[in-house]
Each structure stands twice: as structure tokens, then as C-alpha cells.
Amino acid sequence: MTNQTIPYKIYLSENEMPKQWYNLRADMKIKPAPLLNPATLKPMTPQELAPVFCEELIRQELDDTTAYFDIPEEIANFYKMYRPSPLVRAYCLEQKLQTPAKIYYKFEGNNTSGSHKLNSAIAQAYYAKKQGLKGVTTETGAGQWGTALSMACSYFGLDCKVYMVKVSYEQKPFRREVMRTYGASVTPSPSMETQVGQRILAAHPGTTGSLGCAISEAVEKATTTPGYRYVLGSVLNQVLLHQSIIGLETKAALDKYGVKPDIIIGCAGGGSNLGGLIAPFMGQKLRGEADYRIIAVEPASCPSFTRGRYAYDFCDTGMVCPLSKMYTLGSGFIPSANHAGGLRYHGMSTTLSELYHEGLMEAVSVAQTSVFEAAEEFARIEGILPAPESSHAIRVAIDEAMRCKQTGEEKTIVFGLTGTGYFDMVAYEKFHDGLMTDYIPSDEDLAASFAGLPKVD
Ligand SMILES: *Cc1c(COP(=O)(O)O)cnc(C)c1O
């Protein structure tokens, strides 16, 4: 098998597509720390979560032992509209770099939302509909999640209310219009529509918002509107579960040609694409069946893994959400406004946080100008215009391939190309005009933010 020529794109047939999601937590000896009720500091019960989240999603969120969940037929049918996503052998990039490394990327940008987020959006909308709900609320930063959710909601006939971080609402009018095309209502956050929005605006007049603020608003709206629940596009265990489709397809495609990766690389915002991509590989690693180097890539301007604390923190700025033990920069942390490259969330998936804490994966941070250099190099040789978020993974994949060039090692590198960058041309413009800067928070900045961590333990 290994001598067989590997095609540019390895596709799976419909029959070869995964029929179940894989729950990585089932194979973890030390489980991710539970969500805590901020008032009692006791683990959140399903009853306490029920006003916020859909019932089936709560079950998935809290289940640390079931390894496989069947993908319902309605979701599998929707997946067939844009999956399997291609696993591409980056022959052109390899040649350009003159590296002996073999580079593959799993491309999740082949759907209208332009990212992997649709994989979880469709699942969350399905369970909300099945529960008989009227609609869902959510937040969106750059807009990929809001777009994915509005597509999923229109498919199942659910209302969709999106709080969009104000700076993105203003900078990305076309994203907003895509969401409205799919029937979503979009409000710039912070807004006067919610009490928490009013509070944040009173404390910080003129603020351009943050994901943490928008989450608080969406949660308040969901819990005060009958027939509504809140849905989140990253960070949560349930989202990593749905995103395992990425890794399962990747592994099935590689297995077809007998290819075993040495290094698996993904960008990390809240950790959902990375958690999904690595799931089956990390599962093997946890069970002692195989070993891989796994690398999370984050922006130097929002370095949760590499400079954060592993501690209980709020998931949102308004402190209305449960406490989550994760690598965090503090819920009050707002990345510099000149950071254009996405991945701005202050915290990280509890699952990935625990794996990183145990040394089962690595993390590196990269400055945004070097990310855009990699994005442009990739676009010019592989054709795809990558999202800035995805380009963090490209940066480190290229760096690892260049290291192989020095050592002569023929390593196999797989990275997640999470989406396309058509709505990020303002950031590309800044880069082309030489106006992009690399703001990196100082230790003092971070210390100020850590001081606001809740006292737990
Ligand atoms: C949202 C997003 C990310 C980061 O989110 P994760 O939950 O860390 O995966 C990365 N790339 C793209 C294109 C995104 O839309």
C-alpha cells in the first residue's frame, strides 16, 4: 500500500463516512474538570444547565464515558451536502519548500459558512428542533459560527438570534448579510437589548465588544425568552464531539493509503477544530496504541496555552456562565484591537487543557505578521485563500517542514485548514499595506487580568 501513489485529494465515499462521533474523554484517565456552579462551586447538574442548553446536548456535555455516539440520520444527510471534506496532499507546497516532509491538510472551507463550524451547528440545531424549541441564541466574533448556525437553523426551521461582536459587525458587513440571508437576526454586541449589555456599556462606554460580552448577552436572552436555548460554537465538550468527524475522516483517508502521521497541527481558539482533528489519534495515544506529536497553534496576542493559567474561570465577561477549569488569560482579557487574525477567546476547551497539562500535546504561539506571510505563501502555491485562523496552523506546518529540510527527516505532517478568508480582506489589506503590527501582551497586562480570576480550590 505504501508504494501506491497518493492522489492530490483523498476522498471517502458516502459509505466510508463515519457513522458515529468519537468522544475522546472516554479514553482519558484523568477526565476534564467539571463545570462548576459559580454560586455553590459544586459541579453543574443537568437540571441547572437545562434552562441554558438543549437536553441532549447536556447529556453529551456531561458524558465522560461513552466512547461513540451515533450520528442521527438527519445530521448525516446534511453532512453529505458538503462532506466528506477533502484531505489534500500539499505536493505543490512541498515542492516549493524543497522539503522531504510529506504535508497533508484537511480542508473544512468547502461550505458556504466557510469553516468547520457547520459540523457542530447542524448537530446543535437538530437537537434543539427535536426538543420542540422555537429558536436559539448565540454569539459570533468573526462571523463564521453565526453564519454556520444561521444555515443550520434555516434548514431545520428554527429562529436564530446572533449577538455579533460590535467591531466585527461594523468591519464585516457582508458576513452579517450572509446571516440575514439565512434568516438570522443579528445584533451588535454589547447592546441595550439585555441587562448585561447595558451594564457593560455603562462600565465601558464606546467599547467595541468581545466574545465574552456577546456570550453573556446571548445566554441572558436565551434564559429570558420562552422556547429558546443558547448554543456555543467552540470550547464545549459537545462541540469537540461533533467536530470529531474531522479527525475520523482524516484517519480513514490516511488509513486507506497506509499513511501514519508523525505530527498533527491545528490552530486553537476555543479548541474545537483541533480537538476534533486530533480525537482519534489522541485516542490511540491515550490507549498506548500509537504515538504522535500534536501541536496547538495560538496567536501571540492571545496566548491561552503558552502563557495562561490552568485555573477555574468564567467563560464570559458578564460572569453569568458556569466556571470552567481551563488554560485562561482571565475572562476580562480583551486582545489588542490591532489583532486581526481571529482566535481571540480568553479560554480553552477543558478537554484540551487537561491533555496539555498532562504533556500529551504541545502548544506554540505565533505573531500575526508571520501568520499572514504563511497565508500568502500558501495561497500562491496551493490556491486556497486561507482564513487567518487557519493560517496559524499553516505557519507551524511550514516551520516543521523547513526543520525537516535541515535534518533530512521525511516526516509526515497533517494540519487542519479550517476555513477560507474571503471575509478577512481588511486584515489582508493591512498586511499588504505594511500596517499590520504584532502586539504581544506584557507580563504586567496578563498579571492584571489573572488578578480577576475567581478564587476556587
Ligand atoms: C472559529 C474558527 C477557528 C477557531 O475555533 P476553534 O474552536 O479553536 O476551532 C479556527 N478557524 C476558523 C476558520 C474558524 O472559523
Side-chain angles (χ1 to χ4, degrees), residues 108-109 113-117 140-145 175 211 233-236 239-240 243 246 266-276 297 341-345 347-349 352 386-392 416-421 424:
E108 291 291 322
S113 77
S115 82
H116 65 286
K117 293 205 171 65
T140 198
Q144 291 96 328
W145 168 246
R175 266 280 175 215
L211 265 184
S234 182
V235 186
L236 296 175
V239 184
L240 268 71
Q243 295 297 357
I246 303 173
C267 63
S272 74
N273 87 82
L274 179 65
V297 190
L343 308 174
R344 303 170 62 96
Y345 187 60
M348 189 52 66
S349 142
L352 294 189
E389 294 90 343
S390 323
S391 305
H392 288 71
L417 189 69
T418 50
T420 47
D424 299 288

Side-chain angles (χ1 to χ4, degrees), residues 201-447:
L201 281 172
H204 309 279
T207 175
T208 53
S210 71
L211 265 184
C213 298
I215 294 174
S216 304
E217 287 208 275
V219 171
E220 180 184 320
K221 187 74 182 177
T223 51
T224 54
T225 313
Y228 274 68
R229 293 294 184 279
Y230 166 70
V231 294
L232 179 61
S234 182
V235 186
L236 296 175
N237 292 327
Q238 55 185 277
V239 184
L240 268 71
L241 175 71
H242 307 145
Q243 295 297 357
S244 69
I245 188 90
I246 303 173
L248 292 164
E249 281 183 10
T250 301
K251 183 148 191 320
L254 290 172
D255 284 349
K256 260 176 123 163
Y257 289 88
V259 176
K260 180 185 171 292
D262 299 296
I263 308 174
I264 304 168
I265 300 166
C267 63
S272 74
N273 87 82
L274 179 65
L277 174 65
I278 68 173
F281 302 101
M282 182 61 88
Q284 286 185 303
K285 192 164 163 153
L286 288 166
R287 296 189 302 269
E289 297 165 5
D291 198 15
Y292 305 97
R293 257 188 87 199
I294 291 171
I295 309 175
V297 190
E298 60 186 13
S301 56
C302 193
S304 322
F305 272 132
T306 51
R307 294 176 68 199
R309 294 265 172 86
Y310 190 34
Y312 268 105
D313 192 13
F314 286 95
C315 298
D316 62 324
T317 315
M319 303 182 182
V320 299
C321 290
L323 296 170
S324 176
K325 188 175 179 190
M326 56 187 176
Y327 278 87
T328 180
L329 298 168
S331 64
F333 182 83
I334 297 185
S336 155
N338 60 21
H339 172 63
L343 308 174
R344 303 170 62 96
Y345 187 60
H346 68 271
M348 189 52 66
S349 142
T350 56
T351 300
L352 294 189
S353 292
E354 180 55 35
L355 293 168
Y356 179 66
H357 191 65
E358 291 176 40
L360 289 159
M361 53 184 270
E362 306 165 31
V364 292
S365 72
V366 288
Q368 69 172 346
T369 45
S370 76
V371 167
F372 278 81
E373 281 163 14
E376 197 169 81
E377 184 168 15
F378 182 84
R380 289 180 184 182
I381 196 75
E382 288 286 326
I384 294 169
L385 179 75
E389 294 90 343
S390 323
S391 305
H392 288 71
I394 299 175
R395 170 75 274 155
V396 173
I398 291 177
D399 291 347
E400 289 296 332
M402 294 310 283
R403 216 185 317 272
C404 288
K405 185 174 174 174
Q406 277 168 7
T407 61
E409 287 173 292
E410 292 184 28
K411 293 244 156 84
T412 297
I413 299 169
V414 174
F415 73 91
L417 189 69
T418 50
T420 47
Y422 302 119
F423 292 105
D424 299 288
M425 298 325 288
V426 172
Y428 274 94
E429 181 184 34
K430 264 194 190 170
F431 173 69
H432 293 142
D433 291 344
L435 300 175
M436 183 167 274
T437 52
D438 289 328
Y439 176 79
I440 297 172
S442 67
D443 289 343
E444 290 72 35
D445 293 339
L446 294 184

Side-chain angles (χ1 to χ4, degrees), residues 2-69:
T2 40
N3 290 333
Q4 198 172 336
T5 310
I6 291 168
Y8 268 75
K9 284 186 186 164
I10 308 180
Y11 277 108
L12 300 173
S13 70
E14 274 183 21
N15 286 337
E16 292 169 316
M17 278 179 64
K19 299 190 172 41
Q20 295 176 307
W21 293 302
Y22 167 60
N23 179 13
L24 180 54
R25 287 167 288 158
D27 283 308
M28 291 171 70
K29 285 182 196 73
I30 306 174
K31 305 297 182 189
L35 297 172
L36 298 186
N37 180 323
T40 62
L41 300 186
K42 297 237 162 60
M44 292 291 288
T45 62
Q47 295 74 22
E48 287 170 325
L49 289 167
V52 182
F53 296 117
C54 306
E55 286 157 17
E56 181 58 32
L57 294 168
I58 294 171
R59 236 190 310 281
Q60 295 177 357
E61 189 64 31
L62 300 180
D63 189 333
D64 283 346
T65 52
T66 306
Y68 289 95
F69 286 77

